[in-house]
Amino acid sequence: MIFDENNNLKERESARAILVGASTGEDISYSMEELSGLAEAADIEVLGTMEQYLDHFRAATLIGSGKLKELQELCESMEADLVIFNDELSGMQLRNIEDVIGTKVIDRTILILDIFADRAVSREGKLQVELAQLQYRLPRLIGFGKSLSRLGGGIGTRGPGEKKLETDRRHIQRRMDEIKSELKELKANRAVQRSRREKNGLPVVALAGYTNSGKSSLMNRLLAMEERDEKQVFEKDMLFATLDTAQRLITLDDNKSFILIDTVGFVSRLPHALVDAFKSTLEEVSMADLILHVADASFPEKDFHIKVTERVLSELGASDRESILVFNKIDLAPGFEPLGYGQDSVCISCRTGEGVEELLSMIKDRLFSDIKMTRLLVPYDKGSAVSALMKTAKPVKAEYREDGTYLEAELSSADRGRYAQFIIEEDS
């Protein structure tokens, strides 16, 4: 990592960083380990870590002055060009720490935002990340100084579209308003798509879970079972491998279908700016008929991952949705039993396929348990009802009789109520 004349970061093959964590009593060992994983995901070489346990955080520099001096010496001796703090820093803290150690400083939030900026592909994803970056930087203009003059060129400054931004607050606020307006239009378009799905009677299943738990792998496993490899999504064993929401039609062996939605993974201390920015996309989870909460069965801290995911789902207003807890990577956790997690859990391996059929059976029970074979007779002057049934229910039998159109179709309880006047018989 090197700097240009405006103190902007410029990329080279790999940045060299020291990670810093501070705590007033809480065990941060796992959080620091995760920070190292985030650094790796951003192609940063971690040279070492430094931790300090204090009675209280220092307002000016977070860590103590002695530790700050030690950090300066460590940066010089190890030739580090970046320091990453595990805690979110204020603009004043960023400036004060950089003034002492003479090395570029970012925090966990900036790192996550940078990863998102690098991975976002869709127009909506890029806008959401840019909005989150601006929301984070707006109250920190003094701390960032000249480094805010451009959203491009390296960790902590990279932005979608390499857009130049002035440090003027009004300019940033104006850009935020523009992004919110465009996102509002995209949200409206998604609402239209959702309305079409509802008209077609297709239930929605949303994948949610900690990053790198295997959500995209599960989607790809289900697509592979249908021999639809061309529809598979990107997957990789790394944090935040995929960000953009993907939707795929999944058809079961009895020809029943549902929409499967893959969403961005969660992580501890997920920046509020990101949660707010991605809410329009993540609302698909809160409106799903069923949530598949995917957890890594082989990970020692899986209970922590589960709690973080449940907390974010609650923030999104999705805690009341029906869900199945899916323990993935069971091939890496021999002997694991989901004891104490309730009846709505299943163990699978996306790699080997173990347990996937059982999961599909559970999905079928949740989505289609109220569906019954129903026989209807629709008078000829009610042609619109026949058209609707033909489109949404896909009858297995249709006959044109003297007194109307006879149909045999599998209907949900909602559809049976909607077409009750035409029903002549239904299976018990």
Side-chain angles (χ1 to χ4, degrees), residues 184-223:
K184 188 175 181 179
E185 292 181 15
L186 292 170
K187 180 179 180 180
N189 293 337
R190 193 166 48 254
V192 171
Q193 295 174 348
R194 189 184 304 118
S195 177
R196 288 172 181 167
R197 288 200 308 261
E198 291 172 352
K199 285 183 179 179
N200 291 331
L202 287 174
V204 174
V205 177
L207 293 164
Y210 214 80
T211 181
N212 205 32
S213 61
K215 300 182 301 300
S216 298
S217 298
L218 177 53
M219 174 176 276
N220 287 340
R221 165 59 69 170
L222 297 182
L223 290 169

Side-chain angles (χ1 to χ4, degrees), residues 38-217:
L38 290 168
E40 180 183 351
D43 192 31
I44 298 172
E45 179 186 355
V46 177
L47 301 177
T49 62
M50 174 182 288
E51 298 178 15
Q52 183 178 28
Y53 289 83
L54 315 111
D55 54 357
H56 66 279
F57 294 128
R58 306 300 187 256
T61 55
L62 190 75
I63 59 176
S65 57
K67 208 68 174 177
L68 203 58
K69 180 64 177 177
E70 184 181 334
L71 178 59
Q72 176 197 17
E73 295 171 353
L74 192 61
C75 289
E76 292 177 354
S77 63
M78 302 189 77
E79 298 183 352
D81 43 35
L82 184 66
V83 172
I84 307 174
F85 274 74
N86 194 38
D87 296 271
E88 191 169 291
L89 301 173
S90 67
M92 180 183 297
Q93 288 172 332
L94 283 166
R95 182 186 61 187
N96 291 342
I97 295 171
E98 282 191 2
D99 286 346
V100 173
I101 67 176
T103 303
K104 182 66 183 178
V105 176
I106 65 173
D107 61 21
R108 183 189 185 93
T109 299
I110 301 175
L111 178 60
I112 294 176
L113 288 171
D114 186 84
I115 294 171
F116 272 56
D118 192 41
R119 304 274 172 80
V121 175
S122 70
R123 174 62 178 165
E124 185 171 25
K126 291 178 179 180
L127 287 171
Q128 288 169 327
V129 174
E130 184 179 359
L131 178 61
Q133 287 177 317
L134 296 177
Q135 287 174 332
Y136 177 81
R137 287 184 167 96
L138 186 59
R140 294 172 173 81
L141 293 178
I142 297 176
F144 275 97
K146 293 181 180 179
S147 66
L148 252 190
S149 64
R150 185 180 68 182
L151 278 184
I155 303 300
T157 57
R158 176 167 48 211
E162 295 293 320
K163 295 181 181 296
K164 291 186 176 182
L165 290 175
E166 301 295 331
T167 58
D168 181 78
R169 290 178 182 274
R170 285 176 298 178
H171 178 84
I172 293 178
Q173 188 62 59
R174 190 181 310 120
R175 177 58 188 155
M176 288 170 60
D177 291 341
E178 292 172 356
I179 294 173
K180 288 177 181 178
S181 177
E182 191 167 349
L183 286 173
K184 188 175 181 179
E185 292 181 15
L186 292 170
K187 180 179 180 180
N189 293 337
R190 193 166 48 254
V192 171
Q193 295 174 348
R194 189 184 304 118
S195 177
R196 288 172 181 167
R197 288 200 308 261
E198 291 172 352
K199 285 183 179 179
N200 291 331
L202 287 174
V204 174
V205 177
L207 293 164
Y210 214 80
T211 181
N212 205 32
S213 61
K215 300 182 301 300
S216 298
S217 298

Side-chain angles (χ1 to χ4, degrees), residues 396-411:
V396 297
K397 186 176 182 179
E399 293 179 355
Y400 296 100
R401 298 182 176 178
E402 185 177 339
D403 49 353
T405 304
Y406 172 79
L407 301 170
E408 291 183 7
E410 290 186 322
L411 300 183

